[in-house]
């Protein structure tokens, strides 16, 4: 039996797959208040064209001006992957203080064709006076599977991991 958090995470993962099948990056996010999804965001970004449209950023954009600050401070974001720094800042701008994520920064770095530096974003935000709790990974195995659908084509995860590892080795 799935917990409430896992059920909400499943929706973020579902949105990530939908986004990938549309030809975009595979990321999804939901904004939740009192256990109910009030906004959804999927990626409209595509690396081949270089357009920024991350799921969390789109989620924030969909929420701006609709809800009072005190309402948003009691909301939670569920996202299919740990948010990038731009998306974290956008979420923080809403006043949301809690994020659940599926795929950790560590495991997301495994599909990258370049070496990544892992940063403790909650600690960095805290130095700026922003309290942000990040909880996860939640359903990480399911979350990793979404990357197989990126850019509108299916590629087995094993191939993605192998190709990415080879590219990182060449970089070294």
């Amino acid at each position: 039996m799935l917990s409430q958090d896992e059920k909400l995470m499943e929706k973020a993962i579902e949105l990530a797959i939908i986004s990938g099948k549309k030809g975009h990056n595979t990321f999804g996010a939901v904004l939740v208040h009192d256990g109910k999804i009030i906004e959804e965001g999927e990626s409209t970004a595509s690396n081949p064209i270089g357009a920024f449209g991350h799921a969390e950023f789109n989620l924030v954009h969909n929420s701006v001006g609709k809800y009072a600050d005190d309402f948003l401070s009691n909301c939670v974001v569920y996202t299919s992957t740990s948010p990038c720094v731009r998306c974290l800042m956008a979420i923080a701008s809403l006043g949301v203080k809690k994020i659940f994520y599926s795929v950790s920064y560590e495991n997301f770095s495994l599909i990258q064709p370049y070496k990544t530096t892992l940063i403790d974003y909650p600690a960095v935000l805290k130095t700026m006076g922003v309290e942000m709790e990040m909880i996860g990974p939640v359903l990480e195995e399911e979350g990793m599977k979404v990357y197989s659908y990126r850019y509108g084509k299916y590629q087995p995860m094993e191939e993605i991991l192998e190709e990415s590892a080879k590219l990182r080795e060449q970089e070294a």
Side-chain angles (χ1 to χ4, degrees):
M1 183 105 182
L2 294 177
S3 70
Q4 168 96 2
D5 293 323
E6 289 170 330
K7 289 177 185 175
L8 293 164
M9 187 60 71
E10 279 189 328
K11 182 61 179 178
I13 290 170
E14 175 188 326
L15 290 167
I17 292 171
I18 290 168
S19 177
K21 288 181 175 180
K22 289 179 180 177
H24 303 293
N25 290 334
T26 48
F27 300 100
V30 294
L31 182 65
V32 175
H33 186 267
D34 286 337
K36 295 181 184 170
I37 295 172
I38 59 169
E39 295 290 341
E40 297 179 356
E42 61 182 69
S43 180
T44 54
S46 177
N47 282 347
I49 63 170
F52 182 75
H54 293 188
E56 300 91 345
F57 190 82
N58 289 338
L59 179 76
V60 169
H61 187 274
N62 294 342
S63 304
V64 172
K66 287 186 180 179
Y67 308 100
D69 291 346
D70 60 339
F71 180 86
L72 288 167
S73 69
N74 290 301
C75 288
V76 179
V77 169
Y78 290 78
T79 183
S80 61
T81 302
S82 301
C84 74
V85 68
R86 290 194 285 181
C87 290
L88 269 175
M89 296 306 287
I91 293 166
S93 76
L94 283 180
V96 172
K97 297 176 180 8
K98 188 183 287 188
I99 299 172
F100 283 83
Y101 61 89
S102 178
V103 177
S104 65
Y105 292 114
E106 294 83 5
N107 279 333
F108 182 66
S109 72
L110 297 176
I111 68 161
Q112 299 304 313
Y114 49 83
K115 291 185 181 181
T116 58
T117 302
L118 300 176
I119 298 170
D120 183 353
Y121 287 117
V124 173
L125 289 170
K126 191 172 186 172
T127 66
M128 296 185 293
V130 177
E131 293 291 329
M132 181 72 69
E133 182 180 11
M134 294 182 68
I135 302 167
V138 176
L139 299 178
E140 190 167 33
E141 187 175 328
E142 290 88 339
M144 285 294 288
K145 292 176 185 174
V146 304
Y147 306 123
S148 292
Y149 297 95
R150 59 188 177 174
Y151 314 131
K153 61 182 183 201
Y154 180 83
Q155 183 180 11
M157 181 52 60
E158 298 77 28
E159 287 180 18
I160 294 169
L161 292 170
E162 188 177 306
E163 287 174 10
S164 296
K166 284 180 185 177
L167 290 169
R168 285 192 305 275
E169 285 175 21
Q170 291 172 0
E171 183 184 291

